[in-house]
Amino acid sequence: MICFSPINVNAKNYPKPSIPILPILSKSSLVLKKNINSSYTSFLQYGVFYSNARSALANALTLSGVNKESSILMPAYHCGSMIEPALWLNANVLLYRLNKDLIPESDHIEQLISKSQKPVKVMLLPHYFGFLQDVRKWRKFCDQHNLILIEDCAHAFFGQLPDSSLVGKTGDYAIASVKKIFCTQDGGILIGKNVNPHNFSLKKTRIGEQLHGILNFIQQLNYYGRLGKPGIFFTHVTNCYSTLKFFLSSKKIGTLTAEEKTSLHSWKWFVPDLVNICGFAFSHWLMTHSNLERIVCNRRKNYLTLLTSIKKIKYLEPLFPTLPENVIPYMFPVLLKSGEADFDRLKKRGMPIWRWEELAESDCTVSQSYRLQLLHLPCHQELKSSEITWMLNTLEQILGKK
């Protein structure tokens, strides 16, 4: 039985950060030439484009034959969207322990396999924050135990293994999250052996929803000050639209039956209706016309800038104190050692930080500790130097220098 830890009770009182946690479009984000054939990543050329990564994962699990009679090995440190697709398939989820560097504990996984009452079919292996696991080791492990290996590349769209192969190509399947890396509203990708995009007939998103996605996209640009003076006019337009949308949605919810209202809230992170839905056409275009070299370069540069300064701030300990050449980071993970009071102060100052508070409960002491201690700071390619400076100054003001 999977039970999730309760969310921080103060969360709803925190202001929305004034710095984007995920990348947001700028003049330098795009290139004219389509980059579908890329030496940086496998996902662009071979991937099936879903609405989100959790739908891609649900399909990977389905292709792996996961059902109520099978068990799945999943990491004890996770977000809810990693777990719910497996629960949706009624699978038995086995949470394996992790070391402090988020490397899986081999001995514990062996124990879980030997003690499981249902046959273990799949191991899900995440490349946390873009830092690559020893996937060759786990490929061999899965082959020895007759397991299907799914690489969770939601944080690792780019990256190379020591043998120069691209991330996502070693597992039987791999999934990626598009909006975590690119300036899009949605998008998830599935690649794998015998996965051909032409053989998957996904339903297209309705035109109205795609237009709504574009509007949300522009609203984001405006909120974070990327539109300049035209944003003033756009604010008035979107305020009128938001009022109308709220009125219409209230009317719609009011007409639902009790059973329909219940189904709306069955899953917190996973939406079964999106399992076979294609991502927005606009998101796909943005992804395939993004400046990949700039993404790779800026993410690494921003990570190293944060690393240099954060090492000098009290109560902060970078989870990964070095940045290997083959790693393209998704976020900057850092442990906050001073407790909840400082976390609360940082959030109230508008610091753009996330953490995975709603973990499924397990006997992994590292994961349960990281639930509240491990903060995710942005280091994406669209951060301005002034925004990085503000984050570092705010951390130093609240926590102090070493």
Side-chain angles (χ1 to χ4, degrees), residues 168-287:
K169 295 294 287 181
T170 306
D172 295 285
Y173 301 101
I175 60 104
S177 179
V178 174
K179 71 176 186 178
K180 288 184 175 69
I181 307 299
F182 299 91
C183 309
T184 65
Q185 276 291 300
D186 72 341
I189 296 181
L190 168 66
I191 62 173
K193 296 172 183 174
N194 303 318
V195 172
N196 186 331
H198 302 293
N199 296 336
F200 284 71
S201 55
L202 302 185
K203 295 179 182 177
K204 291 185 178 180
T205 314
R206 288 178 292 186
I207 294 296
E209 292 175 351
Q210 300 223 28
L211 292 173
H212 178 64
I214 292 173
L215 183 59
N216 282 339
F217 178 82
I218 299 173
Q219 281 179 313
Q220 262 193 330
L221 291 176
N222 187 38
Y223 177 83
Y224 291 112
R226 265 58 171 183
L227 290 184
K229 289 183 179 179
I232 299 172
F233 169 76
F234 184 76
T235 299
H236 293 300
V237 174
T238 53
N239 285 342
C240 294
Y241 170 78
S242 297
T243 302
L244 179 62
K245 183 177 72 171
F246 177 77
F247 175 77
L248 292 175
S249 63
S250 298
K251 289 287 186 182
K252 183 178 178 181
I253 293 296
T255 62
L256 295 177
T257 65
E259 184 176 345
E260 288 172 328
K261 287 179 181 177
T262 301
S263 68
L264 282 175
H265 302 286
S266 332
W267 304 99
K268 186 163 187 178
W269 299 279
F270 177 66
V271 182
D273 289 347
L274 295 179
V275 164
N276 291 308
I277 300 293
C278 186
F280 293 153
F282 185 52
S283 293
H284 191 271
W285 187 91
L286 288 172
M287 177 185 70

Side-chain angles (χ1 to χ4, degrees), residues 341-364:
D342 278 336
F343 175 79
D344 192 58
R345 279 190 280 272
L346 289 169
K347 290 291 283 185
K348 286 179 178 177
R349 284 285 295 274
M351 273 294 293
I353 48 178
W354 280 344
R355 64 183 183 184
W356 287 343
E357 296 175 347
E358 294 182 87
L359 284 180
E361 294 177 355
S362 71
D363 62 354
C364 177

